[in-house]
Amino acid sequence: MSIKVKCFASMREYLDLSELEIEPGGVKNVADVWLQVAGDKPMPDNTLCAVNQTQADHSFIVGDGDEVAFFPPVTGG
Amino acid sequence: MEHESAGQQSTSHGQIAIVTEAFDPWIELSTYEKSHLTAGHYGAAATFVGTMRDFNEGDNVSAMELEHYPGMTDAQLQAIIDEAQAKWPLDSALIIHRVGRIVPGEPIVLVACWSAHRAAAFDACRHLMEALKSRAPFWKKETLNDQSHRWVEKNTDGYSAP
């Protein structure tokens, strides 16, 4: 099992990362997932997060089998 | 719809579609009315069509790439329709949104609501569009006339915009 991480739009370019699976060990919440995939790069202030395709905040608890996404403000329509 | 679809969901009272090719909103409306609405049962249809401009933020724009989050975008659009259905007495609601490469003049989004009376149709249509703009995970990357690219950074609040 693992945690699937997805990045969209300018966030994908910022992290040079579209999709990645990480080991859940040591990961408690969304903020921990960011540290795993972004390393030293700070999270931009306007970053939005989703867990299992529902918007979530940085303290949202995640674990095995979850899908975590990072993306900028939405600009559709 | 006969064009390429990146996602489609249908319920008894509404339908959403995320499409990868240009669509004609007026043909879609006519087709949807014939297949999903009962003539004589509704008295009001309110529609919004959003079309790509060739200018933004003072620059000429020659094309745009529209990206979405497969799965989450579909779910958000369906949730927005479900909310509107709970708030207004709608016969039906339809959202079609384009993704992929798009050029000025092409429709980006169609939102339509059918109801017995105009107040519900107008209000629900506006609500669906504003909710889509603020919550549905789509992103636009513009190509300017000098072939440089830039991400559109945020949507304005439609209720306070000029």
Side-chain angles (χ1 to χ4, degrees):
Chain A
M1 292 291 278
S2 58
I3 296 171
K4 185 181 284 185
V5 184
K6 293 183 173 183
C7 297
F8 294 94
S10 56
M11 187 62 67
R12 182 184 56 246
E13 296 180 353
Y14 177 62
L15 294 181
D16 191 21
L17 171 67
S18 175
E19 195 170 324
L20 180 71
E21 299 211 349
I22 63 170
E23 292 298 319
V27 172
K28 282 186 300 190
N29 56 28
V30 169
D32 293 334
V33 174
W34 175 269
L35 288 175
Q36 284 260 342
V37 300
D40 294 340
K41 288 187 177 174
M43 186 188 289
D45 288 341
N46 59 3
T47 300
L48 300 176
C49 313
V51 176
N52 299 327
Q53 306 191 350
T54 298
Q55 207 159 319
D57 64 28
H58 302 176
S59 61
F60 196 93
I61 303 296
V62 297
D64 250 0
D66 283 337
E67 177 175 300
V68 179
F70 299 102
F71 45 84
V74 302
T75 56
Chain B
M1 277 161 286
E2 295 175 2
H3 39 64
E4 287 284 316
S5 175
Q8 185 164 340
Q9 287 183 21
S10 185
T11 64
S12 58
H13 298 298
Q15 183 168 294
I16 64 123
I18 298 164
V19 299
T20 56
E21 292 183 355
F23 67 97
D24 183 327
W26 315 114
I27 290 175
E28 299 296 344
L29 279 171
S30 174
T31 303
Y32 188 81
E33 279 198 346
K34 286 178 186 135
S35 60
H36 288 75
L37 277 296
T38 305
H41 193 259
Y42 61 92
T47 65
F48 175 85
V49 176
T51 305
M52 188 187 161
R53 297 185 306 268
D54 63 3
F55 62 94
N56 192 30
E57 305 282 341
D59 295 306
N60 294 318
V61 182
S62 60
M64 196 161 70
E65 192 72 31
L66 261 160
E67 180 178 339
H68 75 303
Y69 183 170
M72 182 172 175
T73 309
D74 312 59
Q76 284 280 355
L77 293 180
Q78 190 59 56
I80 288 166
I81 283 187
D82 291 345
E83 282 172 20
Q85 296 280 4
K87 191 168 180 183
W88 290 280
L90 301 178
D91 285 50
S92 195
L94 171 66
I95 299 176
I96 300 176
H97 201 293
R98 180 81 183 278
V99 292
R101 188 176 186 277
I102 182 168
V103 296
E106 290 184 343
I108 299 170
V109 62
L110 164 68
V111 172
C113 292
W114 289 263
S115 187
H117 302 288
R118 68 185 180 283
F122 270 132
D123 292 353
C125 188
R126 181 73 188 272
H127 174 83
L128 285 178
M129 190 58 210
E130 299 302 336
L132 181 156
K133 294 282 282 193
S134 65
R135 286 159 49 191
F138 292 99
W139 301 276
K140 292 172 179 155
K141 190 179 201 180
E142 297 174 330
T143 302
L144 305 185
N145 278 6
D146 63 4
Q147 297 306 305
S148 64
H149 301 281
R150 70 179 178 197
W151 290 99
V152 177
E153 292 187 356
K154 62 177 180 177
N155 277 341
T156 51
D157 174 4
Y159 287 107
S160 59

